[in-house]
Amino acid sequence: MAHVSQLPCDGDGICMVCKENPSAEETLTCKTCATPWHVGCLAASSRPPTMADAASWECPDCNCVDPVPVSAAPGGSSDLLAAIRAIEADSSLSEQEKARRRQELLCGGAGPSSSGFDPKRTVNDVLDIIDGSLNCSFCMQLPERPVTTPCGHNFCLRCFQKWVGQGKRTCANCRNEIPAKMASQPRINSALVMAIRMAKMAKSNNAGSAHGRPQHFIHNQNRPDKAFTTERAKRAGKANACSGKIFVTAPPDHFGPITAEYDPERNQGVLVGETWEDRMECRQWGAHLPHVAGIAGQSSYGAQSVCLSGGYQDDEDHGEWFLYTGSGGRDLTGNRRTNSEQSSEQKFEKLNEALRVSCKKGYPVRVVRSHKEKRSSYAAEAGVRYDGVYRIEKCWRKVGVQGFMVCRYLFVRCDNDPAPWASDEHGDRPRPMPVVKELNNAIDITERKGSPAWDYDEEKACWMWKKPPPISKKKTSTGVDSSATGKVKRRPRNMSIKDRLLKEFSCQICRKVMSFPITTPCAHNFCKACLEGAFAGKSIMRQRGREGRSLRTQKNIMKCPACTIDIADFLQNPQVNRELMDVIETLQRKCEEEENSESEEEGERATENPGAAPEDADDDSTEEIENPEKAENKKTEDTGAETNLKSNQKGRSCDDIKAAAVVDAGVAANRGKRVKVAAAAM
DNA sequence: GGGCCCGCAGGG
DNA sequence: CCCTGCGGGCCC
């Protein structure tokens, strides 16, 4: 019994045993792994004998020589009974909620990587399908923020960080070496996140479960368009910083998620996890409009969105919550757009004040994360990703790392969809306020006084506007209401397992569902054969041959085909991610079953080829599909093909490289069309 | 990989 | 109309 119930506090400071938020005095911090533990819930034998010993105290996990897998079974039965009775007696819970909490309890409670009030993983459901093959070797639970080692083993981010935090540099499973880069900067393996979610979904669909809501998490496929470069920007000889058409009809001062009603283009809205190539493209979909500034807002009205892209050293990202730094205090003379050096203090004015308004009112603030943030495990793998809405619970000022006063904001996630890194099937539940140490030295602390405008409705079990959202003061970007476009609204698609398999588990080289998947240290996934083939002989040059300079300087560097990370060491002995492979194979079997049982229900979309062009491609796009460059040239013959090709390939960080010619051509064809439309409008 | 320097969009 | 701004292509 003893060490089974020994669990630390989670990322939000909540004790995983008693679910309370212990005060600083009741918290012990392990000297080895720096994890906080609730003293009251520690076995007596694990507590430090005296107060003086507390500073050098080592937690039960670090005290063990080996990572002893913690049993998922619950501890003492009397405790369990008491806990179940407490749930039953809680009149504030619905029957469904009670059932859910009972199940959490029986599933062994929280694992080390769960957070806040999130219900625990429905382990039993998933184990039926994937037979436990995905479990983290440390906590024996499904990894909630899975990371994959180069040797192909999967762990919770938290467990992995704890392990390397102890100075361990070998895989806990096979004792292979963990590269320094992976140890210091593990990235979430999003394919694995999807694997876990899909496995859960497949199960709950079969059981006709109450989780009826389709999980709409998408990758970059189906993106209808790209930003275009204006003629003026071309004349200036620069292909930078030009905006494209805004596709959503939400006004620029719209708060909260961009829902389907604002998306006449796709009729699905902006989905959590949606990723764009760059800030320009992100802007086009309305998630975050400014293309340089990190904050969108108006000082007298509120802030609608922020971007985390590593521009401010003080930022601190914990996924479900983060500390954001205000803007300003920098010297921008010399026509600079940004400057990493701070030279004066920040104040609550302009955009910083806009954020403070959103804090006071409790507005939902959209959050996008850029790949440029190098210090966060939650950063996008490539491009810019929409991560849902957060609320600013507090703001204050403090002296920043550069010695000047900065404005600070505590963001806590409150979205109805799960975060891109979370393998949960559901969105956020209200979670307790994280403990922020720097508040002790803060000034101008601002907290919300009244009730928040955007809040969790226990009855409906979702986040919603509890007060009417602020009235927009602006016109929509297109000036056209979505209901007035005359477009027939399509129902959002509820994807089949087959479609999702193709979308989420396709190799980034061959575009087919991966066989023998390999996860690189930069968290990209490929077929074993494709990856090996890509680096056989001259293929290396084709890989990186984006332009002449790249060829010359990079031909001897072996980089991940999906990003710019050097994976030469990894390629010496790449290991198949067997666990991911099991999941894919299981889902493929499910898929076959699904096809057999409901083949007649498959509509127009089922026959779609995985690599086919997006559905709104013109009939005459066939030629362009075969020759994307031709399509490009057709568009602007006068400026020459070279410029176009270059701009076509700019910033191809992740999904774009993996895009096979057909998809590329589909996009190109679409873009051609869009540019024509834009030109006609001018 | 770091510095330069540009157009652009939005706030006030 | 001026100021601000967590971009981005290109040069070195």
mmCIF file of all heavy atoms in Angstrom, chain A residues 159-197:
data_model
loop_
_atom_site.group_PDB
_atom_site.id
_atom_site.type_symbol
_atom_site.label_atom_id
_atom_site.label_comp_id
_atom_site.label_asym_id
_atom_site.label_seq_id
_atom_site.Cartn_x
_atom_site.Cartn_y
_atom_site.Cartn_z
ATOM 1 N N CYS A 159 6.792 12.868 -16.810
ATOM 2 C CA CYS A 159 7.645 11.772 -16.322
ATOM 3 C C CYS A 159 9.025 11.850 -16.963
ATOM 4 O O CYS A 159 10.047 11.648 -16.304
ATOM 5 C CB CYS A 159 7.007 10.419 -16.646
ATOM 6 S SG CYS A 159 5.478 10.114 -15.760
ATOM 7 N N PHE A 160 9.032 12.152 -18.250
ATOM 8 C CA PHE A 160 10.305 12.230 -18.962
ATOM 9 C C PHE A 160 11.170 13.348 -18.386
ATOM 10 O O PHE A 160 12.365 13.175 -18.138
ATOM 11 C CB PHE A 160 10.044 12.480 -20.452
ATOM 12 C CG PHE A 160 11.289 12.622 -21.286
ATOM 13 C CD1 PHE A 160 11.975 11.502 -21.725
ATOM 14 C CD2 PHE A 160 11.782 13.879 -21.613
ATOM 15 C CE1 PHE A 160 13.130 11.636 -22.483
ATOM 16 C CE2 PHE A 160 12.930 14.015 -22.365
ATOM 17 C CZ PHE A 160 13.608 12.894 -22.802
ATOM 18 N N GLN A 161 10.542 14.488 -18.138
ATOM 19 C CA GLN A 161 11.311 15.618 -17.616
ATOM 20 C C GLN A 161 11.844 15.320 -16.227
ATOM 21 O O GLN A 161 12.942 15.719 -15.865
ATOM 22 C CB GLN A 161 10.427 16.873 -17.585
ATOM 23 C CG GLN A 161 10.247 17.465 -18.971
ATOM 24 C CD GLN A 161 9.298 18.639 -18.989
ATOM 25 O OE1 GLN A 161 8.371 18.697 -18.193
ATOM 26 N NE2 GLN A 161 9.509 19.570 -19.898
ATOM 27 N N LYS A 162 11.039 14.605 -15.474
ATOM 28 C CA LYS A 162 11.469 14.244 -14.131
ATOM 29 C C LYS A 162 12.705 13.344 -14.213
ATOM 30 O O LYS A 162 13.681 13.519 -13.491
ATOM 31 C CB LYS A 162 10.330 13.512 -13.444
ATOM 32 C CG LYS A 162 10.463 13.437 -11.962
ATOM 33 C CD LYS A 162 9.120 13.056 -11.371
ATOM 34 C CE LYS A 162 9.246 12.939 -9.866
ATOM 35 N NZ LYS A 162 7.975 12.648 -9.243
ATOM 36 N N TRP A 163 12.623 12.398 -15.122
ATOM 37 C CA TRP A 163 13.705 11.437 -15.338
ATOM 38 C C TRP A 163 14.996 12.162 -15.731
ATOM 39 O O TRP A 163 16.033 11.982 -15.102
ATOM 40 C CB TRP A 163 13.257 10.466 -16.425
ATOM 41 C CG TRP A 163 14.200 9.383 -16.837
ATOM 42 C CD1 TRP A 163 14.767 9.227 -18.063
ATOM 43 C CD2 TRP A 163 14.627 8.260 -16.061
ATOM 44 N NE1 TRP A 163 15.523 8.090 -18.109
ATOM 45 C CE2 TRP A 163 15.470 7.469 -16.900
ATOM 46 C CE3 TRP A 163 14.405 7.831 -14.749
ATOM 47 C CZ2 TRP A 163 16.073 6.291 -16.457
ATOM 48 C CZ3 TRP A 163 15.006 6.661 -14.317
ATOM 49 C CH2 TRP A 163 15.831 5.906 -15.165
ATOM 50 N N VAL A 164 14.931 13.008 -16.731
ATOM 51 C CA VAL A 164 16.157 13.697 -17.147
ATOM 52 C C VAL A 164 16.559 14.741 -16.105
ATOM 53 O O VAL A 164 17.741 15.056 -15.963
ATOM 54 C CB VAL A 164 16.042 14.349 -18.546
ATOM 55 C CG1 VAL A 164 15.753 13.321 -19.604
ATOM 56 C CG2 VAL A 164 14.983 15.430 -18.577
ATOM 57 N N GLY A 165 15.564 15.226 -15.351
ATOM 58 C CA GLY A 165 15.873 16.169 -14.279
ATOM 59 C C GLY A 165 16.744 15.543 -13.205
ATOM 60 O O GLY A 165 17.456 16.218 -12.469
ATOM 61 N N GLN A 166 16.676 14.228 -13.111
ATOM 62 C CA GLN A 166 17.528 13.513 -12.162
ATOM 63 C C GLN A 166 18.909 13.250 -12.745
ATOM 64 O O GLN A 166 19.712 12.521 -12.163
ATOM 65 C CB GLN A 166 16.890 12.171 -11.783
ATOM 66 C CG GLN A 166 15.602 12.303 -11.015
ATOM 67 C CD GLN A 166 14.846 10.988 -10.930
ATOM 68 O OE1 GLN A 166 15.435 9.921 -11.037
ATOM 69 N NE2 GLN A 166 13.544 11.064 -10.752
ATOM 70 N N GLY A 167 19.142 13.791 -13.914
ATOM 71 C CA GLY A 167 20.454 13.617 -14.524
ATOM 72 C C GLY A 167 20.558 12.357 -15.373
ATOM 73 O O GLY A 167 21.609 12.049 -15.916
ATOM 74 N N LYS A 168 19.441 11.643 -15.519
ATOM 75 C CA LYS A 168 19.477 10.421 -16.322
ATOM 76 C C LYS A 168 19.515 10.785 -17.802
ATOM 77 O O LYS A 168 18.769 11.651 -18.243
ATOM 78 C CB LYS A 168 18.241 9.570 -16.032
ATOM 79 C CG LYS A 168 17.940 9.393 -14.559
ATOM 80 C CD LYS A 168 18.664 8.198 -14.013
ATOM 81 C CE LYS A 168 18.526 8.033 -12.499
ATOM 82 N NZ LYS A 168 17.246 8.276 -11.920
ATOM 83 N N ARG A 169 20.364 10.113 -18.543
ATOM 84 C CA ARG A 169 20.464 10.420 -19.974
ATOM 85 C C ARG A 169 20.289 9.161 -20.827
ATOM 86 O O ARG A 169 20.728 9.096 -21.960
ATOM 87 C CB ARG A 169 21.801 11.082 -20.304
ATOM 88 C CG ARG A 169 21.899 12.515 -19.832
ATOM 89 C CD ARG A 169 20.890 13.414 -20.554
ATOM 90 N NE ARG A 169 20.952 14.792 -20.085
ATOM 91 C CZ ARG A 169 20.300 15.254 -19.018
ATOM 92 N NH1 ARG A 169 19.504 14.440 -18.327
ATOM 93 N NH2 ARG A 169 20.427 16.506 -18.645
ATOM 94 N N THR A 170 19.645 8.156 -20.220
ATOM 95 C CA THR A 170 19.344 6.950 -20.999
ATOM 96 C C THR A 170 17.850 6.683 -20.920
ATOM 97 O O THR A 170 17.190 7.073 -19.959
ATOM 98 C CB THR A 170 20.095 5.727 -20.439
ATOM 99 O OG1 THR A 170 19.779 5.590 -19.057
ATOM 100 C CG2 THR A 170 21.595 5.886 -20.625
ATOM 101 N N CYS A 171 17.338 6.013 -21.942
ATOM 102 C CA CYS A 171 15.920 5.682 -21.991
ATOM 103 C C CYS A 171 15.575 4.746 -20.844
ATOM 104 O O CYS A 171 16.285 3.763 -20.607
ATOM 105 C CB CYS A 171 15.585 5.032 -23.334
ATOM 106 S SG CYS A 171 13.912 4.364 -23.403
ATOM 107 N N ALA A 172 14.482 5.039 -20.151
ATOM 108 C CA ALA A 172 14.095 4.213 -19.015
ATOM 109 C C ALA A 172 13.649 2.831 -19.467
ATOM 110 O O ALA A 172 13.588 1.902 -18.671
ATOM 111 C CB ALA A 172 12.974 4.900 -18.249
ATOM 112 N N ASN A 173 13.354 2.699 -20.734
ATOM 113 C CA ASN A 173 12.891 1.417 -21.243
ATOM 114 C C ASN A 173 14.041 0.540 -21.702
ATOM 115 O O ASN A 173 14.137 -0.622 -21.338
ATOM 116 C CB ASN A 173 11.967 1.675 -22.438
ATOM 117 C CG ASN A 173 10.561 1.204 -22.166
ATOM 118 O OD1 ASN A 173 10.342 0.492 -21.195
ATOM 119 N ND2 ASN A 173 9.639 1.603 -23.000
ATOM 120 N N CYS A 174 14.910 1.105 -22.537
ATOM 121 C CA CYS A 174 15.913 0.270 -23.180
ATOM 122 C C CYS A 174 17.340 0.720 -22.873
ATOM 123 O O CYS A 174 18.288 0.115 -23.341
ATOM 124 C CB CYS A 174 15.700 0.275 -24.697
ATOM 125 S SG CYS A 174 16.003 1.891 -25.439
ATOM 126 N N ARG A 175 17.469 1.799 -22.115
ATOM 127 C CA ARG A 175 18.786 2.304 -21.699
ATOM 128 C C ARG A 175 19.608 2.852 -22.859
ATOM 129 O O ARG A 175 20.809 3.039 -22.718
ATOM 130 C CB ARG A 175 19.605 1.231 -20.971
ATOM 131 C CG ARG A 175 18.888 0.629 -19.787
ATOM 132 C CD ARG A 175 18.778 1.606 -18.644
ATOM 133 N NE ARG A 175 17.714 1.187 -17.721
ATOM 134 C CZ ARG A 175 17.330 1.873 -16.665
ATOM 135 N NH1 ARG A 175 17.895 3.009 -16.383
ATOM 136 N NH2 ARG A 175 16.361 1.443 -15.894
ATOM 137 N N ASN A 176 18.960 3.092 -23.969
ATOM 138 C CA ASN A 176 19.680 3.788 -25.037
ATOM 139 C C ASN A 176 19.855 5.252 -24.664
ATOM 140 O O ASN A 176 19.081 5.806 -23.887
ATOM 141 C CB ASN A 176 18.898 3.693 -26.355
ATOM 142 C CG ASN A 176 19.350 2.526 -27.189
ATOM 143 O OD1 ASN A 176 20.542 2.363 -27.429
ATOM 144 N ND2 ASN A 176 18.405 1.690 -27.598
ATOM 145 N N GLU A 177 20.822 5.870 -25.279
ATOM 146 C CA GLU A 177 21.143 7.247 -24.929
ATOM 147 C C GLU A 177 20.023 8.212 -25.355
ATOM 148 O O GLU A 177 19.417 8.051 -26.402
ATOM 149 C CB GLU A 177 22.442 7.651 -25.614
ATOM 150 C CG GLU A 177 23.068 8.877 -25.002
ATOM 151 C CD GLU A 177 24.273 9.341 -25.819
ATOM 152 O OE1 GLU A 177 24.909 8.483 -26.454
ATOM 153 O OE2 GLU A 177 24.540 10.545 -25.814
ATOM 154 N N ILE A 178 19.782 9.209 -24.535
ATOM 155 C CA ILE A 178 18.861 10.288 -24.904
ATOM 156 C C ILE A 178 19.711 11.480 -25.313
ATOM 157 O O ILE A 178 20.527 11.949 -24.535
ATOM 158 C CB ILE A 178 17.974 10.689 -23.713
ATOM 159 C CG1 ILE A 178 17.095 9.516 -23.267
ATOM 160 C CG2 ILE A 178 17.108 11.892 -24.070
ATOM 161 C CD1 ILE A 178 16.398 9.746 -21.943
ATOM 162 N N PRO A 179 19.544 11.974 -26.536
ATOM 163 C CA PRO A 179 20.363 13.118 -26.951
ATOM 164 C C PRO A 179 20.100 14.345 -26.081
ATOM 165 O O PRO A 179 18.992 14.525 -25.572
ATOM 166 C CB PRO A 179 19.899 13.394 -28.384
ATOM 167 C CG PRO A 179 18.970 12.305 -28.754
ATOM 168 C CD PRO A 179 18.587 11.556 -27.538
ATOM 169 N N ALA A 180 21.127 15.169 -25.930
ATOM 170 C CA ALA A 180 21.028 16.338 -25.057
ATOM 171 C C ALA A 180 19.863 17.237 -25.463
ATOM 172 O O ALA A 180 19.126 17.751 -24.633
ATOM 173 C CB ALA A 180 22.340 17.121 -25.094
ATOM 174 N N LYS A 181 19.694 17.385 -26.765
ATOM 175 C CA LYS A 181 18.638 18.272 -27.254
ATOM 176 C C LYS A 181 17.256 17.772 -26.821
ATOM 177 O O LYS A 181 16.402 18.541 -26.395
ATOM 178 C CB LYS A 181 18.718 18.342 -28.780
ATOM 179 C CG LYS A 181 17.675 19.215 -29.401
ATOM 180 C CD LYS A 181 18.293 20.302 -30.239
ATOM 181 C CE LYS A 181 17.239 21.323 -30.595
ATOM 182 N NZ LYS A 181 17.743 22.444 -31.316
ATOM 183 N N MET A 182 17.074 16.469 -26.954
ATOM 184 C CA MET A 182 15.799 15.866 -26.548
ATOM 185 C C MET A 182 15.593 16.034 -25.040
ATOM 186 O O MET A 182 14.488 16.286 -24.574
ATOM 187 C CB MET A 182 15.818 14.394 -26.943
ATOM 188 C CG MET A 182 14.748 13.535 -26.318
ATOM 189 S SD MET A 182 13.272 13.493 -27.326
ATOM 190 C CE MET A 182 12.085 12.757 -26.191
ATOM 191 N N ALA A 183 16.682 15.872 -24.297
ATOM 192 C CA ALA A 183 16.565 15.973 -22.844
ATOM 193 C C ALA A 183 16.188 17.385 -22.424
ATOM 194 O O ALA A 183 15.361 17.582 -21.539
ATOM 195 C CB ALA A 183 17.892 15.568 -22.198
ATOM 196 N N SER A 184 16.774 18.360 -23.097
ATOM 197 C CA SER A 184 16.521 19.733 -22.674
ATOM 198 C C SER A 184 15.247 20.284 -23.294
ATOM 199 O O SER A 184 14.616 21.158 -22.734
ATOM 200 C CB SER A 184 17.703 20.613 -23.046
ATOM 201 O OG SER A 184 17.828 20.675 -24.457
ATOM 202 N N GLN A 185 14.888 19.798 -24.453
ATOM 203 C CA GLN A 185 13.739 20.379 -25.129
ATOM 204 C C GLN A 185 12.856 19.325 -25.782
ATOM 205 O O GLN A 185 12.747 19.249 -27.006
ATOM 206 C CB GLN A 185 14.223 21.379 -26.181
ATOM 207 C CG GLN A 185 13.158 22.345 -26.645
ATOM 208 C CD GLN A 185 12.325 22.889 -25.509
ATOM 209 O OE1 GLN A 185 11.227 22.421 -25.277
ATOM 210 N NE2 GLN A 185 12.856 23.854 -24.778
ATOM 211 N N PRO A 186 12.222 18.494 -24.973
ATOM 212 C CA PRO A 186 11.345 17.472 -25.578
ATOM 213 C C PRO A 186 10.130 18.125 -26.216
ATOM 214 O O PRO A 186 9.603 19.096 -25.684
ATOM 215 C CB PRO A 186 10.924 16.630 -24.366
ATOM 216 C CG PRO A 186 11.053 17.544 -23.198
ATOM 217 C CD PRO A 186 12.186 18.478 -23.522
ATOM 218 N N ARG A 187 9.719 17.601 -27.353
ATOM 219 C CA ARG A 187 8.513 18.118 -28.010
ATOM 220 C C ARG A 187 7.429 17.056 -27.984
ATOM 221 O O ARG A 187 7.700 15.879 -28.152
ATOM 222 C CB ARG A 187 8.816 18.507 -29.466
ATOM 223 C CG ARG A 187 9.485 19.876 -29.601
ATOM 224 C CD ARG A 187 8.446 20.988 -29.576
ATOM 225 N NE ARG A 187 9.063 22.277 -29.291
ATOM 226 C CZ ARG A 187 9.224 23.252 -30.165
ATOM 227 N NH1 ARG A 187 8.799 23.090 -31.393
ATOM 228 N NH2 ARG A 187 9.774 24.374 -29.809
ATOM 229 N N ILE A 188 6.213 17.525 -27.826
ATOM 230 C CA ILE A 188 5.071 16.609 -27.814
ATOM 231 C C ILE A 188 4.963 15.924 -29.179
ATOM 232 O O ILE A 188 5.093 16.566 -30.210
ATOM 233 C CB ILE A 188 3.777 17.391 -27.560
ATOM 234 C CG1 ILE A 188 3.926 18.327 -26.370
ATOM 235 C CG2 ILE A 188 2.591 16.461 -27.450
ATOM 236 C CD1 ILE A 188 3.679 17.778 -25.042
ATOM 237 N N ASN A 189 4.703 14.617 -29.162
ATOM 238 C CA ASN A 189 4.491 13.870 -30.409
ATOM 239 C C ASN A 189 3.003 13.915 -30.736
ATOM 240 O O ASN A 189 2.206 13.150 -30.207
ATOM 241 C CB ASN A 189 4.970 12.433 -30.227
ATOM 242 C CG ASN A 189 4.869 11.631 -31.507
ATOM 243 O OD1 ASN A 189 4.299 12.095 -32.497
ATOM 244 N ND2 ASN A 189 5.416 10.437 -31.495
ATOM 245 N N SER A 190 2.636 14.816 -31.631
ATOM 246 C CA SER A 190 1.208 15.052 -31.839
ATOM 247 C C SER A 190 0.512 13.863 -32.489
ATOM 248 O O SER A 190 -0.680 13.656 -32.278
ATOM 249 C CB SER A 190 1.002 16.310 -32.669
ATOM 250 O OG SER A 190 1.683 16.193 -33.888
ATOM 251 N N ALA A 191 1.253 13.068 -33.246
ATOM 252 C CA ALA A 191 0.620 11.884 -33.838
ATOM 253 C C ALA A 191 0.174 10.927 -32.735
ATOM 254 O O ALA A 191 -0.872 10.284 -32.823
ATOM 255 C CB ALA A 191 1.580 11.180 -34.780
ATOM 256 N N LEU A 192 0.978 10.873 -31.699
ATOM 257 C CA LEU A 192 0.639 9.993 -30.585
ATOM 258 C C LEU A 192 -0.547 10.542 -29.794
ATOM 259 O O LEU A 192 -1.395 9.781 -29.313
ATOM 260 C CB LEU A 192 1.871 9.856 -29.681
ATOM 261 C CG LEU A 192 2.084 8.522 -29.015
ATOM 262 C CD1 LEU A 192 1.949 7.389 -29.998
ATOM 263 C CD2 LEU A 192 3.447 8.502 -28.352
ATOM 264 N N VAL A 193 -0.592 11.854 -29.672
ATOM 265 C CA VAL A 193 -1.756 12.473 -29.028
ATOM 266 C C VAL A 193 -3.011 12.028 -29.758
ATOM 267 O O VAL A 193 -3.994 11.599 -29.154
ATOM 268 C CB VAL A 193 -1.647 14.015 -29.066
ATOM 269 C CG1 VAL A 193 -2.935 14.652 -28.578
ATOM 270 C CG2 VAL A 193 -0.479 14.500 -28.230
ATOM 271 N N MET A 194 -2.936 12.084 -31.080
ATOM 272 C CA MET A 194 -4.093 11.693 -31.876
ATOM 273 C C MET A 194 -4.382 10.214 -31.728
ATOM 274 O O MET A 194 -5.533 9.803 -31.711
ATOM 275 C CB MET A 194 -3.852 12.031 -33.348
ATOM 276 C CG MET A 194 -3.884 13.498 -33.652
ATOM 277 S SD MET A 194 -5.294 14.297 -32.885
ATOM 278 C CE MET A 194 -6.632 13.397 -33.629
ATOM 279 N N ALA A 195 -3.318 9.434 -31.656
ATOM 280 C CA ALA A 195 -3.511 7.985 -31.526
ATOM 281 C C ALA A 195 -4.338 7.688 -30.289
ATOM 282 O O ALA A 195 -5.296 6.912 -30.333
ATOM 283 C CB ALA A 195 -2.157 7.292 -31.441
ATOM 284 N N ILE A 196 -3.981 8.332 -29.207
ATOM 285 C CA ILE A 196 -4.684 8.067 -27.953
ATOM 286 C C ILE A 196 -6.122 8.557 -28.038
ATOM 287 O O ILE A 196 -7.065 7.865 -27.677
ATOM 288 C CB ILE A 196 -3.935 8.742 -26.786
ATOM 289 C CG1 ILE A 196 -2.563 8.092 -26.619
ATOM 290 C CG2 ILE A 196 -4.736 8.642 -25.510
ATOM 291 C CD1 ILE A 196 -1.614 8.873 -25.744
ATOM 292 N N ARG A 197 -6.266 9.768 -28.587
ATOM 293 C CA ARG A 197 -7.622 10.308 -28.685
ATOM 294 C C ARG A 197 -8.497 9.466 -29.595
ATOM 295 O O ARG A 197 -9.658 9.212 -29.317
ATOM 296 C CB ARG A 197 -7.570 11.724 -29.227
ATOM 297 C CG ARG A 197 -7.851 12.749 -28.161
ATOM 298 C CD ARG A 197 -8.083 14.073 -28.812
ATOM 299 N NE ARG A 197 -7.100 15.026 -28.353
ATOM 300 C CZ ARG A 197 -6.970 16.236 -28.874
ATOM 301 N NH1 ARG A 197 -7.721 16.606 -29.884
ATOM 302 N NH2 ARG A 197 -6.078 17.059 -28.401
#
